[in-house]
């Protein structure tokens, strides 16, 4: 099954302007659809094309996958799989508790609370909270840790119900989720109704400036619908009754920005906002050229990665994958990497083990095999967790293991 008719231009989901395609990554499966080996027929494919709005500058996918196909009871991604990310979320939870959740009965809502990695700290502090996440499996894990969860999509409808039941929120937070939601007009209408007069809406997502710089084309997949900049977020905020009041660069997931919105005039706009807006206009993020040069670089990476893997295969050297990331679906299916080139992918996520990767059907196995695998070369799909992984896998390096990476260029270290 697939969504047909690839096109070069579509209307912008934010401002209605023209979105011009700059990269076509071909037909792609759902990035988190890890099937059982004997259940791979009738796989869903869609056209993965990405473009930039010539009006508001928002980078976005040209085709939307129905949300229920991606986010459901069996959604396999577990935020707590990385200790670095767990520490990152503990830190922001503590900051909210210390600086924003200080009234007599504060309330925080998280959109996309997943397995409770952030709200767990809030719950432990006894602060009123609610996670909203449509994926029931991850929600259950969160609930088992004392986190209150509403299994639902956050949008205007559900936000109005939350306000009616629980009142307005001091903080609305979303990590690696806001950029997943094509219908941001509805989410922002919901946030406007839910947020207290002096509240803040904070979200953090992969930053388009870092994606272009690092050539991390694998950040582009079904779930990542938007690729934000301060320029595009500022314009979107203004259009929906908010003001962009702060930005913070984050060194996680390959480079992100944490954006803070507030009701207009309620908070002082920080210098960091002005600085990032200036940096973006200086580096031409509002023009076509950096996106076109990114697309050319991506084509070169594809050719290089494929020929490197073919050469290694022809030399009889076994390559395994490390981290069955959602990102790896784009890499494997765009570059044509199957189990002939990568024998197996090792991953710590129970929900992915014993399954096969989307589209190319490479087996996913638990980490016990990695320690004994004879392969001296590991393709590091989870490159965004490289520091944590290399620290943990010192034994691999000690037995002559080498890491193969592909952004910003193909390298065998
Ligand atoms: N916040 C976590 C993190 O940063 O690791 C989870 C990120 S995970 C990539 C995205 C999560 O957003 C999934 O758990 C998914 O179910 C959820 N999600 C998708 N659409 C949503 C929506 N409209 N409202 C709330 N959550 C949503
Ligand atoms: P992410 O890049 O979207 O966070 O996904 C990371 C994937 O890599 C996830 O499936 C868990 C897996 N993983 C490991 O297998 N070992 C690790 O040490 C880490 C940090 C992640
Ligand atoms: Zn636009």
């Amino acid at each position: 099954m697939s969504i047909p008719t690839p096109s070069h231009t579509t209307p912008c989901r934010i401002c209605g302007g023209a979105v011009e395609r700059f990269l076509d990554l071909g037909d792609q499966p759902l990035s988190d659809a890890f099937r059982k080996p004997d259940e791979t027929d009738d796989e869903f494919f869609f056209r993965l094309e990405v473009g930039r709005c010539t009006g508001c500058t928002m980078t976005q996918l040209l085709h939307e996958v129905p949300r229920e196909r991606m986010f459901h009871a069996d959604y396999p991604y577990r935020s707590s799989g990385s200790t670095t990310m767990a520490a990152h979320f503990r830190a922001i939870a503590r900051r909210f508790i210390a600086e924003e959740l200080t009234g007599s009965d504060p309330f925080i809502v998280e959109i996309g609370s997943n397995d409770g990695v952030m709200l767990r700290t809030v719950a432990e502090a006894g602060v009123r909270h609610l996670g909203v996440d449509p994926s029931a499996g991850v929600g259950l894990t969160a609930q088992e840790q004392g986190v209150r969860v509403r299994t639902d999509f956050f949008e205007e409808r559900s936000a109005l119900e939350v306000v009616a039941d629980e009142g307005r929120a001091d903080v609305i937070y979303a990590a690696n989720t806001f950029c997943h939601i094509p219908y941001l007009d509805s989410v922002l209408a919901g946030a406007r109704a839910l947020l207290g007069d002096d509240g803040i809406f904070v979200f953090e997502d992969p930053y388009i400036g870092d994606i272009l710089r690092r050539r991390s084309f694998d950040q582009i997949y079904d779930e990542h619908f938007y690729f934000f900049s301060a320029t595009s977020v500022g314009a979107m905020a203004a259009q929906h009754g908010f003001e962009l009041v702060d930005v913070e660069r984050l060194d996680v997931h390959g480079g992100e920005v944490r954006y803070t919105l507030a009701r207009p005039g309620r908070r002082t706009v920080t210098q960091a906002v002005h600085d990032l807006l200036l940096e973006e206009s200086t580096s031409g993020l509002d023009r076509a050229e950096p996106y076109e040069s990114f697309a050319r670089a991506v084509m070169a990476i594809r050719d290089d990665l494929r020929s490197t893997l073919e050469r290694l295969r022809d030399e009889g050297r076994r390559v395994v994958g490390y981290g069955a990331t959602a990102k790896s679906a784009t890499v494997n299916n765009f570059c044509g990497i199957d189990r002939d080139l990568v024998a197996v992918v090792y991953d710590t996520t129970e929900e992915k083990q014993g399954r096969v990767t989307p589209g190319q059907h490479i087996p996913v196995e638990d980490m016990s095999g990695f320690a004994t695998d004879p392969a001296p070369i590991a393709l590091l799909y989870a490159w965004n967790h490289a520091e944590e992984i290399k620290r943990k896998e010192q034994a691999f390096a000690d037995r002559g293991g080498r890491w193969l990476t592909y952004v910003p260029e193909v390298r065998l270290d």
Side-chain angles (χ1 to χ4, degrees):
M1 281 189 73
S2 66
I3 296 175
T5 54
S7 63
H8 297 264
T9 323
T10 53
C12 173
R13 290 294 299 258
I14 303 297
C15 78
V19 176
E20 287 184 353
R21 182 181 76 183
F22 61 85
L23 184 60
D24 178 0
L25 291 160
D27 289 333
Q28 291 279 345
L30 304 177
S31 62
D32 267 314
F34 291 83
R35 301 276 190 100
K36 292 187 180 141
D38 56 352
E39 291 177 5
T40 55
D41 44 345
D42 83 323
E43 215 171 350
F44 177 86
F45 284 85
F46 74 106
R47 191 71 172 192
L48 183 58
E49 297 180 287
V50 62
R52 184 186 58 92
C53 174
T54 52
C56 72
T57 79
M58 184 70 84
T59 302
Q60 58 201 273
L61 299 191
L62 271 60
H63 311 285
E64 176 183 352
V65 171
R67 62 189 189 176
E68 290 80 9
R69 282 192 177 272
M70 297 185 280
F71 308 115
H72 44 67
D74 296 324
Y75 179 69
Y77 184 72
R78 296 293 184 276
S79 303
S80 299
S82 155
T83 50
T84 310
M85 290 312 299
H88 170 87
F89 290 123
R90 215 165 22 250
I92 186 66
R94 286 187 182 142
R95 195 200 291 180
F96 287 144
I97 292 165
E99 296 176 8
E100 300 290 337
L101 301 169
T102 53
S104 59
D105 180 24
F107 181 39
I108 176 169
V109 173
E110 184 179 15
I111 306 174
S113 44
N114 198 268
D115 61 5
V117 68
M118 196 285 286
L119 283 180
R120 185 186 308 157
T121 302
V122 175
E124 281 162 11
V127 173
R128 200 156 61 87
H129 65 274
L130 182 69
V132 182
D133 197 305
S135 302
V138 295
L140 201 60
T141 310
Q143 282 162 336
E144 283 164 4
Q145 306 192 36
V147 172
R148 284 185 63 230
V149 180
R150 176 187 174 112
T151 300
D152 202 349
F153 290 94
F154 188 94
E155 56 191 337
E156 188 173 16
R157 166 197 56 81
S158 50
L160 290 172
E161 287 169 17
V162 172
V163 185
D165 293 348
E166 324 221 9
R168 296 206 288 172
D170 302 280
V171 176
I172 303 174
Y173 176 66
N176 306 300
T177 299
F178 197 51
C179 76
H180 288 50
I181 307 181
Y183 42 97
L184 285 188
D185 48 349
S186 174
V187 172
L188 287 164
R192 244 181 3 256
L194 176 59
L195 200 65
D197 288 343
D198 291 315
I200 49 171
F201 178 16
V202 180
F203 53 94
E204 55 192 68
D205 291 287
Y207 178 50
I208 186 66
D210 288 316
I211 292 173
L212 297 181
R213 189 172 51 83
R214 295 185 188 213
R215 300 172 181 163
S216 42
F217 66 97
D218 54 347
Q219 291 281 14
I220 305 165
Y221 53 90
D222 54 352
E223 296 172 19
H224 284 179
F225 192 86
Y226 293 107
F227 303 88
F228 299 135
S229 64
T231 309
S232 60
V233 167
M236 174 175 67
Q239 194 188 321
H240 288 275
F242 284 107
E243 185 173 27
L244 176 62
V245 296
D246 195 22
V247 290
E248 189 184 346
R249 302 286 286 262
L250 304 173
D251 192 21
V252 295
H253 287 312
E256 301 205 321
V257 170
R258 177 179 287 153
Y259 304 89
T260 301
L261 309 188
R263 295 188 192 277
R266 291 290 181 160
R267 302 251 175 158
T268 310
V269 178
T270 62
Q271 188 58 39
V273 174
H274 300 296
D275 291 347
L276 192 55
L277 287 171
L278 183 64
E279 187 183 319
E280 290 178 0
S281 69
T282 310
S283 62
L285 275 194
D286 52 351
R287 296 194 301 272
E289 201 286 323
Y291 303 83
E292 286 163 2
S293 107
F294 166 78
R296 283 191 297 274
V298 171
M299 297 301 174
I301 292 174
R302 174 185 62 181
D303 296 346
D304 197 6
L305 180 58
R306 211 186 138 82
S307 59
T308 302
L309 288 168
E310 283 170 352
R311 177 176 57 76
L312 292 167
R313 177 200 55 198
D314 295 346
E315 290 170 2
R317 297 163 80 184
R318 175 177 156 96
V319 177
V320 301
Y322 198 107
T325 57
K327 293 185 285 298
S328 70
T330 295
V331 178
N332 289 339
N333 291 284
F334 178 57
C335 304
I337 299 169
D338 58 12
R339 57 187 305 184
D340 188 34
L341 298 178
V342 171
V344 57
V345 184
Y346 293 108
D347 193 286
T348 50
T349 316
E350 250 176 65
E351 288 74 10
K352 298 181 183 178
Q353 296 159 0
R355 308 264 173 149
V356 295
T357 64
Q360 298 293 345
H361 307 159
I362 303 171
V364 181
E365 291 179 11
D366 69 58
M367 280 294 163
S368 62
F370 185 67
T372 52
D373 195 295
I377 300 172
L379 178 54
L380 185 55
Y381 291 117
W383 55 265
N384 48 314
H385 302 294
E387 215 177 289
E388 177 177 343
I389 290 171
K390 287 182 181 174
R391 215 182 309 126
K392 186 160 60 179
E393 301 294 357
Q394 190 51 46
F396 175 66
D398 292 346
R399 64 186 169 97
R402 298 175 70 186
W403 295 102
L404 178 60
T405 47
Y406 47 84
V407 291
E409 68 222 331
V410 177
R411 273 180 65 145
L412 190 55
D413 286 319

